[in-house]
């Protein structure tokens, strides 16, 4: 494996694959904080040149974390289709990038080769791609999923209704939920982040959302984003959960910091399939985000883009209904400004889609980051062009419980109108019956939550 290159009179020698991947990454404050980033643009370009000439076999033969010591690596390794891998192991990373971007390479071809790729190979290709490359490649890939309804079709932009409340007040949650529905948002999921992480509170919220779904005959699915153990207790107590949720990290140690492991996820998967209320077959909701492993001191010297891709390698084991990267939530320590957030959102969406995940993005930032709502508008438009499966909707783009900025209900409605996108078909039929939408456009009744009162 050649790890040396001469560039404009300077020879760059990298010690291992881990260093090449880290220094080939676009500038990220998290990598700088970890002390693994390129010193300057010249070293970054040298690392990209070295990475471009490495083969997919080189990457697989030099694991960043051996599967014998890390269960995320084991899950990724065991998922590789050996026949397909044998066909492409001699490709360089540059050749993988070219194949993905080639005009004649369609979604079915990408779906096939994805089965022979590891998450590290996918991350390597992303590091050689421009923002436009990431958008173009992702736009080719249609990844559909079905819980109670189907989302992910070409031309569909779904929305998660996120009616959070700072005290889990049921009436407050319902008021926000009715506003979301009035704008046509909620086909991805009615998903609430609870303040109170108890089985009783989770059960009450699930009962509330299921009651709203039943009363108004809404074709969607519900979920409460508590810790997976709390949800499991609520489900065993009879809570009506269509899906089960968990945040993921890209290393075993990172997941231990979340209080989870593969055995627990397997147990939860069995429970939601036996006692959940969703039709299926896709019954999981996962969230990720660049930098979480470094926060837990569980990154093992690996860069945050590669670790994020490994999250997706773990997620695909469970065939989820939705996955999203909460792209700017952790803060400027990991993504310093709008430029880094936009880049990360496009990277994450591409890497997830190439690993055949139904990817959404929480287009978001925190108030101590060098970003603003205009930057998020820009990223939302780019992701809509890239074919993102869904976006997050919160009232006025300001989550009053999690205290961060995201996209609003009407932002998603605007993107649909502007870019000729539609809600999920079954959900749109319901919107038409409710008088909220007609011929793919919102009616004058839209945005009025009192129609549910």
């Amino acid at each position: 494996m050649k790890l040396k290159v001469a560039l404009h009179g300077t020879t760059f020698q990298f010690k291992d694959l881990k260093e090449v991947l880290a220094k080939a990454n676009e500038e990220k404050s998290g990598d700088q904080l970890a002390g693994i980033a390129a010193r300057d643009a010249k070293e970054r370009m040298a690392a990209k040149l070295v990475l471009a000439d490495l083969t997919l076999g080189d990457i697989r033969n030099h694991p960043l974390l051996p599967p014998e010591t890390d269960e995320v690596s084991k899950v990724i390794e065991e998922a590789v289709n050996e026949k397909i891998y044998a066909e492409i192991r001699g490709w360089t990373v540059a050749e993988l990038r070219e194949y993905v971007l080639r005009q004649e390479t369609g979604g079915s071809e990408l779906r096939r080769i994805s089965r022979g790729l590891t998450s590290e190979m996918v991350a390597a290709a992303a590091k050689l791609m421009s923002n436009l490359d990431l958008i173009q490649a992702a736009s080719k890939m249609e990844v559909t999923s079905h819980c109670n309804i189907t989302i992910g079709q070409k031309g569909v932009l779904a929305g998660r209704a996120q009616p959070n409340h700072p005290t889990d007040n049921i009436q407050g949650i319902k008021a926000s939920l009715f506003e979301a529905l009035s704008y046509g948002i909620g086909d991805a999921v009615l998903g609430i982040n609870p303040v109170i992480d108890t089985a009783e509170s989770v059960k009450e919220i699930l009962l509330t959302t299921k009651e709203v779904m039943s009363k108004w005959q809404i074709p969607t699915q519900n979920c409460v984003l508590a810790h997976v153990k709390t949800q499991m207790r609520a489900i065993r107590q009879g809570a009506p959960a269509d899906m089960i949720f968990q945040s993921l990290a890209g290393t075993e140690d990172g997941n231990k910091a979340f209080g989870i492991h593969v055995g627990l996820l397997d147990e939860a998967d069995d429970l939601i399939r036996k006692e959940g209320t969703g039709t299926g077959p896709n019954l999981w909701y996962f969230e990720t985000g660049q930098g979480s492993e470094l926060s837990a001191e569980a990154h093992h010297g690996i860069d945050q883009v590669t670790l994020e891709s490994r999250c997706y390698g773990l997620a695909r084991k469970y065939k989820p209904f939705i996955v999203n990267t909460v792209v700017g939530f952790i803060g400027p320590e990991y993504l310093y400004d709008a430029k880094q957030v936009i880049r990360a959102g496009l990277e994450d969406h591409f890497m997830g889609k190439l690993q055949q995940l139904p990817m959404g993005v929480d287009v978001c930032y925190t108030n101590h980051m060098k970003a603003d709502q205009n930057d998020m508008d820009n990223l939302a438009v780019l992701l809509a062009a890239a074919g993102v499966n869904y976006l997050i909707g919160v009232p006025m783009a300001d989550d009053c419980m999690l205290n961060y900025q995201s996209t609003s209900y009407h932002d998603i409605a605007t993107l649909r109108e502007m870019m000729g996108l539609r809600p999920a078909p079954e959900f749109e039929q319901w919107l038409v019956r409710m008088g909220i939408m007609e011929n793919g456009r919102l009616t004058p009744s839209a945005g009025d939550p009192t129609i549910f009162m």
Side-chain angles (χ1 to χ4, degrees):
M1 188 167 64
K2 183 183 176 185
L3 299 175
K4 182 169 70 173
V5 68
L7 184 62
H8 299 300
T10 302
T11 298
F12 294 87
Q13 174 71 58
F14 301 98
K15 63 181 180 181
D16 54 22
L17 177 61
K18 189 182 293 186
E19 184 181 14
V20 172
L21 285 167
K23 293 189 172 180
N25 202 15
E26 291 298 300
E27 186 174 357
K28 300 286 172 61
S29 54
D31 293 338
Q32 293 167 341
L33 180 65
I36 60 175
R39 293 188 301 272
D40 51 34
K42 193 172 182 180
E43 187 179 31
R44 181 174 298 109
M45 184 53 63
K48 287 178 185 287
L49 289 170
V50 169
L51 182 60
D53 286 339
L54 296 180
T55 68
L56 303 185
D58 289 333
I59 293 174
R60 192 178 185 193
N61 293 334
H62 295 83
L64 306 182
L65 283 175
E68 297 79 19
T69 61
D70 182 276
E71 65 180 12
V72 176
S73 296
K74 185 179 179 182
V75 168
I76 293 168
E77 180 66 21
E78 289 178 347
V80 174
N81 181 297
E82 297 295 346
K83 183 176 181 179
I84 297 172
Y85 168 71
E87 297 172 12
I88 62 176
R89 65 185 176 191
W91 289 9
T92 64
V93 177
E95 287 171 332
L96 173 60
R97 172 189 174 275
E98 289 299 319
Y99 181 81
V100 168
L101 293 172
R102 195 178 299 157
Q103 185 175 354
E104 58 268 27
T105 303
S108 59
E109 289 85 1
L110 293 175
R111 194 157 42 245
R112 181 178 184 275
I113 69 152
S114 73
R115 297 168 60 211
L117 298 173
T118 66
S119 301
E120 289 83 355
M121 297 171 195
V122 173
K127 294 168 190 288
L128 301 184
M129 298 170 78
S130 69
N131 286 8
L132 184 57
D133 291 341
L134 295 168
I135 294 167
Q136 183 213 349
S139 70
K140 298 179 179 186
M141 294 182 269
E142 180 184 68
V143 182
T144 61
S145 55
H146 184 94
C147 182
N148 292 331
I149 65 172
T150 302
I151 66 170
Q153 305 93 327
K154 287 280 188 181
V156 167
L157 174 61
R160 170 190 162 188
Q162 184 172 299
N164 294 342
H165 191 277
T167 63
D168 286 348
N169 179 275
I170 293 299
Q171 292 308 311
I173 289 171
K174 287 173 73 174
S176 180
L177 176 56
F178 290 152
E179 183 186 13
L181 293 168
S182 74
Y183 277 109
I185 308 307
D187 42 352
V189 65
L190 312 183
I192 293 89
N193 299 82
V195 177
I196 307 163
D197 195 76
T198 65
E200 293 73 24
S201 180
V202 167
K203 183 177 179 180
E204 184 180 20
I205 297 171
L206 285 168
L207 284 166
T208 297
T209 51
K210 187 59 77 169
E211 177 188 348
V212 169
M213 290 167 61
S214 178
K215 179 178 180 179
W216 297 100
Q217 297 182 305
I218 307 171
T220 186
Q221 35 280 315
N222 71 342
C223 188
V224 173
L225 285 70
H227 191 275
V228 67
K229 290 181 180 178
T230 308
Q231 295 169 81
M232 291 168 73
R233 288 194 293 271
I235 292 167
R236 286 172 175 142
Q237 292 175 19
D242 293 328
M243 287 189 289
I244 198 161
F245 165 85
Q246 183 53 46
S247 296
L248 296 180
T251 67
E252 181 176 343
D253 289 341
N255 285 315
K256 285 179 181 176
F258 283 146
I260 64 169
H261 52 84
V262 168
L264 178 62
L265 296 178
D266 289 345
E267 182 184 350
D269 186 65
D270 183 63
L271 178 67
I272 195 65
R273 296 189 183 283
K274 290 180 178 176
E275 299 188 35
T277 49
T279 305
N282 309 114
L283 299 171
W284 273 95
Y285 178 1
F286 291 119
E287 282 190 342
T288 66
Q290 290 190 28
S292 61
E293 298 85 3
L294 180 57
S295 295
E297 297 185 353
H299 63 295
H300 298 279
I302 304 169
D303 70 276
Q304 60 191 49
V305 170
T306 303
L307 290 172
E308 180 70 9
S309 187
R310 285 168 54 88
C311 292
Y312 305 142
L314 175 58
R316 66 180 174 180
K317 168 180 167 68
Y318 298 98
K319 299 178 174 57
F321 177 66
I322 48 177
V323 179
N324 76 264
T325 168
V326 193
V327 67
F329 183 73
I330 301 181
E333 301 87 353
Y334 307 102
L335 298 171
Y336 179 70
D337 57 16
K339 182 177 181 180
Q340 293 187 17
V341 171
I342 289 170
R343 173 70 188 188
L346 298 177
E347 288 168 338
D348 296 353
H349 178 245
F350 162 76
M351 293 190 299
K353 279 286 180 69
L354 188 52
Q355 294 178 74
Q356 299 306 299
L357 289 178
M359 283 299 297
V361 177
D362 191 349
V363 177
C364 64
Y365 67 104
T366 56
N367 284 315
H368 60 313
M369 182 182 288
K370 289 178 70 67
D372 59 28
Q373 203 65 41
N374 287 330
D375 298 315
M376 298 305 103
D377 289 350
N378 293 343
L379 177 54
V381 171
L382 294 174
L383 286 165
V388 70
N389 282 30
Y390 72 102
L391 296 175
I392 308 293
V394 301
M396 298 301 293
D398 185 2
D399 192 301
C400 62
M401 190 279 278
L402 291 171
N403 198 27
Y404 79 119
Q405 275 56 55
S406 184
T407 41
S408 72
Y409 304 141
H410 58 275
D411 288 338
I412 299 172
T414 300
L415 286 167
R416 286 173 176 165
E417 180 178 335
M418 180 176 66
M419 304 188 76
L421 302 170
R422 308 286 280 259
E426 296 131 295
F427 192 76
E428 182 176 343
Q429 292 170 15
W430 174 78
L431 292 171
V432 171
R433 291 197 301 271
M434 292 294 297
I436 295 169
M437 184 169 272
E438 187 175 338
N439 297 321
R441 298 179 68 86
L442 294 177
T443 68
S445 298
D448 180 6
T450 64
I451 62 178
F452 296 101
M453 297 177 184

